[in-house]
Amino acid sequence: MDDFKLCFICGGRNSFSTNCKTCSQPCCQLCISLHKTPSLCKIISKYGSHLTCLSETCEIHGGLEYCFFCMQCSTKTCKECYASHSNHTILRLQKAVKQIKETFQNHKHILQARQYDAIKVIEDTPRKYTELTDTEMKIEEEVIKWDKAIFKISNALQITLSDDRNKIEEIAEKAEETRTEIGDAIKNLIAMEKINFELTFLALWSGYSNDLTMLEKNDVELGIPKRKTFKSNLGDISDIRNLFGFLWSEGTKFGSSEIQTSEKKIPGAKRTDDIDQLSQRFSHSVTVTDETDKKRHSKHKGIVQAKQALEKEVTELEIEIKDTLKSKQ
Ligand SMILES: [Zn+2]
Ligand SMILES: [Zn+2]
Ligand SMILES: [Zn+2]
Ligand SMILES: [Zn+2]
């Protein structure tokens, strides 16, 4: 009789029982094969603490048989315990088991859906990882693009400044030569003032006046490059995020079918145009101011007036000489 222990699987005492080698629970000969699937022994081991009370009778109510199950409290009740679960769903043991097992299909569906989600996340991970790496590379490419564009603009500006530096050096050399020539011209003027013989004076003047005109032209300043300053547009970087770009979230979560790809939704100018805009803004930012323009103009005007006055005087002198010569004849 001792060998007819309660079988943990079928609940019967109908055969010679044995203990499972894995979970050590008693089991009949008919059910022992089920222990060969590892999950059954595993579940017995995991929830084994719940198996300690397999009593079929109520200890509180003097050995009354447990014939009901409270679905809310997940506990067995005898006819007397029943009263303390007044608003609960109380079912006979067999019916409770049947009803619980009926929900298993639904649990399976939910778990399979969760499993599918998990598999999808695992499967999608390499693709998502690659996408993130690609995005990172795009940002780096953009940085290089900007870097190149700015470097190109910077180079052009530097070349202009370098040209200007060379030019003003050349002009300074030329001015040095001119200064010497002007010094000579002034000496010549002083010398010519002393010539009183009209014919000599006029003969010399016809040669000298051209040189004087050339010297008075002041073409030195005409070639001086305009004054330039650099205004950096990067002083105000508040709009740099729109110009450079930002991370655009597609859809609401991984695997979402709602993917927004419209380029138009990205605020600001199209990114391909940004570099051009940037370079345009840079080229405009080099302001050219010319404070010497007016000064030079008035100086030039003064020279022209002086020359005209001198020519007038010479013309008058010529007429006077001709008249004198005529009167002598
Ligand atoms: Zn059994
Ligand atoms: Zn077992
Ligand atoms: Zn209850
Ligand atoms: Zn009871």
Side-chain angles (χ1 to χ4, degrees), residues 24 38 94 165 191 306:
S24 335
Q94 295 84 346
R165 273 202 301 269

Side-chain angles (χ1 to χ4, degrees), residues 58 60-61 66 78 80-81:
C58 180
I60 304 161
H61 299 105
Y66 281 133
C78 71
E80 295 295 320
C81 304

Side-chain angles (χ1 to χ4, degrees), residues 6-15 26-32:
L6 181 79
C7 171
F8 267 58
I9 309 299
C10 67
R13 297 176 194 275
N14 54 1
S15 174
C27 186
C28 74
Q29 292 299 319
L30 293 172
C31 299
I32 194 71

Side-chain angles (χ1 to χ4, degrees), residues 20 23 35 41:
C20 168
C23 66
H35 285 262
C41 298

Side-chain angles (χ1 to χ4, degrees), residues 31-262:
C31 299
I32 194 71
S33 64
L34 292 171
H35 285 262
K36 283 173 185 163
T37 60
S39 56
L40 188 77
C41 298
K42 238 187 218 171
I43 201 168
I44 287 171
S45 300
K46 190 170 182 185
Y47 304 106
S49 61
H50 296 269
L51 292 173
T52 51
C53 183
L54 285 181
S55 165
E56 291 170 276
T57 53
C58 180
E59 285 172 20
I60 304 161
H61 299 105
L64 270 175
E65 196 191 347
Y66 281 133
C67 34
F68 302 103
F69 188 78
C70 174
M71 298 297 275
Q72 273 80 13
C73 306
S74 288
T75 186
K76 296 173 287 185
T77 72
C78 71
K79 270 191 267 179
E80 295 295 320
C81 304
Y82 196 104
S84 60
H85 299 268
S86 57
N87 287 323
H88 294 173
T89 309
I90 308 293
L91 298 173
R92 290 202 162 270
L93 291 180
Q94 295 84 346
K95 204 174 177 200
V97 171
K98 192 172 174 256
Q99 212 172 79
I100 291 166
K101 281 190 176 175
E102 273 168 9
T103 66
F104 275 25
Q105 197 55 36
N106 195 31
H107 286 306
K108 273 186 205 164
H109 281 313
I110 293 166
L111 292 174
Q112 276 165 356
R114 292 290 311 276
Q115 195 180 36
Y116 174 78
D117 285 349
I119 289 167
K120 204 165 180 324
V121 167
I122 293 162
E123 283 175 352
D124 281 354
T125 297
R127 185 174 60 82
K128 297 283 175 194
Y129 191 91
T130 310
E131 272 176 16
L132 293 174
T133 309
D134 286 351
T135 305
E136 194 185 4
M137 273 168 69
K138 271 183 196 160
I139 293 169
E140 279 167 17
E141 278 169 20
E142 200 73 356
V143 167
I144 292 166
K145 223 159 107 183
W146 273 56
D147 212 41
K148 274 188 186 165
I150 292 172
F151 186 74
K152 209 170 146 188
I153 297 160
S154 153
N155 239 359
L157 298 178
Q158 306 272 25
I159 287 168
T160 308
L161 293 177
S162 178
D163 285 351
D164 281 4
R165 273 202 301 269
N166 291 339
K167 211 166 178 184
I168 60 162
E169 271 183 347
E170 277 172 28
I171 288 166
E173 272 175 41
K174 206 174 155 195
E176 187 58 43
E177 284 170 25
T178 309
R179 197 182 66 152
T180 314
E181 285 172 26
I182 288 171
D184 291 345
I186 290 167
K187 280 178 198 162
N188 290 343
L189 270 182
I190 294 163
M192 274 184 61
E193 267 182 332
K194 289 171 186 159
I195 298 169
N196 289 325
F197 182 44
E198 293 87 357
L199 291 178
T200 308
F201 179 87
L202 290 172
L204 290 173
W205 172 249
S206 64
Y208 177 70
S209 64
N210 280 340
D211 288 349
L212 197 63
T213 309
M214 292 283 283
L215 284 171
E216 284 173 350
K217 246 186 190 170
N218 195 20
D219 55 355
V220 171
E221 248 198 282
L222 282 170
I224 289 175
K226 290 181 175 180
R227 185 168 163 250
K228 292 176 183 70
T229 53
F230 177 67
K231 273 189 188 170
S232 169
N233 273 352
L234 293 178
D236 177 15
I237 58 166
S238 58
D239 202 34
I240 198 100
R241 187 166 286 277
N242 278 341
L243 277 172
F244 180 69
F246 44 84
L247 293 175
W248 185 248
S249 292
E250 293 187 350
T252 48
K253 59 178 180 182
F254 277 176
S256 167
S257 58
E258 193 192 315
I259 293 171
Q260 297 161 300
T261 49
S262 175

